[in-house]
Amino acid sequence: MDMLADRVFETASARLKMMDRMLQDGRCPKCENEDGSLVTTDIWWWCSGFYPGSLWLTYEYTGDKELARLAARHTEILSPIQFRTDDHDVGFQLGCSYGNGYRLTGDTTYRAVICNGAHSLATRFNPAVGCTRSWNNDRWHFPVIIDNMMNLELLFLASELCGDSSLYDIAVRHAVTTMKNHYRDDASTFHLVDYDPETGKVLRRQTVQGFADWSSWSRGQAWGLYGYTMVYRYTGKKRFLSHAEKIADYIIGRLPDDGIPYWDFDSDSIPDDYRDASAGAIIASALVELGTLSDDEDRSTEYLATAEKILRRLASDEYLSEPGSDSGFILRHSVGNKPGNDEVDTPLTYADYYFLEAFIKYMKNQKLFLRMGVAPLNKGLSRSDWSLDRISVNRAHQGRTGASARFPSGKPRQ
Ligand code: GLY
């Protein structure tokens, strides 16, 4: 995997720098048109944090200062988001950009943005419902989408950074409510639950971006898996670990042989249907982490093996952008919103971000356990191991005697 990771981050470095040259000031990448031309957005689109996040992650791996400079520039244009109260996705927007920036630089102005952003997000919490509201529009009364689990990370992080336990409490309450009302008995999730904002009663369960209300929209399953794994990382509460494991087992049971999900597990066009690389990347990142957190040895092994299978497939010529192409994206073949016929079979910034994150986590896991002299499975990384830059994965500064040289038979030296 380490040679593959080197190749991935070499590609990422070239692509992300190219993307910077293609972007006008204040614009963010969104996807590609059918002719391969770049579609951009302003900073308010929910995905604006992923490109700076990918720059930070690639800097983390390569140590290339040029990437850090670009990451800071593309992070800092998002500053107005910290006061945004009209949407839940401030968590994605600020967490991937300022969150990684703070983790890697310790810049205290970044910490202030994270704390402001979390307090803006917390204004969307309704105690009668027990959730933060996802979208503002008249189509629903109080919509909460499964994707919103991801935004809880900003609340947990800010709770630690600015010492405000109310942010932690909101995040836990949202996770508990969502576990109760979004999930079906088989551990698959609905996309959207609409609540009565006065009483907290569930009014409707449905899809927006999936195949049908009853179906399993792949990215929704991925957000939930990642979300509950992350909530366990911050809280240490076993009920969240157990829920994440159930979701993982469900997802693994429904993945095609090569590990990359169709855009909806229940689409009626399978096998002649689109894959969603973004769902694959999110699942891989979550499984790498869950594989280290699970107390169950068999599950750990299966989660890490599945993550590795997905990452190897995403890093193949089928998905990784061609070296000579003029795309600023890293991965092909994601699906944003199939029912809306928007972003179908295109690169997407969050596919790139979670793909890189999964590789970094995977390499950290290998390196940490090599250092500890134990097998890189099932030993439970602590939160600080993941979130602080204690374990460098920067192979460029280690010469070529990386993990594979010390890992000849797939097992670390004892
Ligand atoms: N709303 C986030 C997504 O499309 O997955």
Side-chain angles (χ1 to χ4, degrees), residues 53-67:
S54 293
L55 285 163
W56 284 121
L57 294 175
T58 307
Y59 161 63
E60 182 175 12
Y61 189 87
T62 63
D64 179 347
K65 295 270 191 310
E66 165 72 1
L67 289 165

Side-chain angles (χ1 to χ4, degrees), residues 18-63:
M18 183 187 295
M19 182 69 88
D20 171 68
R21 293 193 291 274
M22 293 161 83
L23 287 171
Q24 291 179 340
D25 278 355
R27 302 297 293 177
C28 309
K30 182 173 186 278
C31 60
E32 284 180 358
N33 287 311
E34 270 179 33
D35 65 3
S37 56
L38 176 66
V39 182
T40 66
T41 65
D42 61 27
I43 63 165
W44 302 102
W45 175 242
W46 74 276
C47 299
S48 58
F50 295 118
Y51 173 59
S54 293
L55 285 163
W56 284 121
L57 294 175
T58 307
Y59 161 63
E60 182 175 12
Y61 189 87
T62 63

Side-chain angles (χ1 to χ4, degrees), residues 37 91-92 100 108 133 207 226 252 279 317 346 356 396 409 413:
S37 56
F92 278 117
N100 279 304
T108 50
R133 180 176 179 136
T207 197
Y226 191 118
I252 290 172
D317 292 346
T346 181
L356 300 176
S409 64
R413 270 191 207 148

Side-chain angles (χ1 to χ4, degrees), residues 46 89 135 145 147 209 217 219 223 336 350:
W46 74 276
D89 281 330
W135 299 321
I145 57 173
D147 324 29
Q209 284 159 256
W217 175 51
R219 200 164 52 255
W223 291 140
Y350 42 102

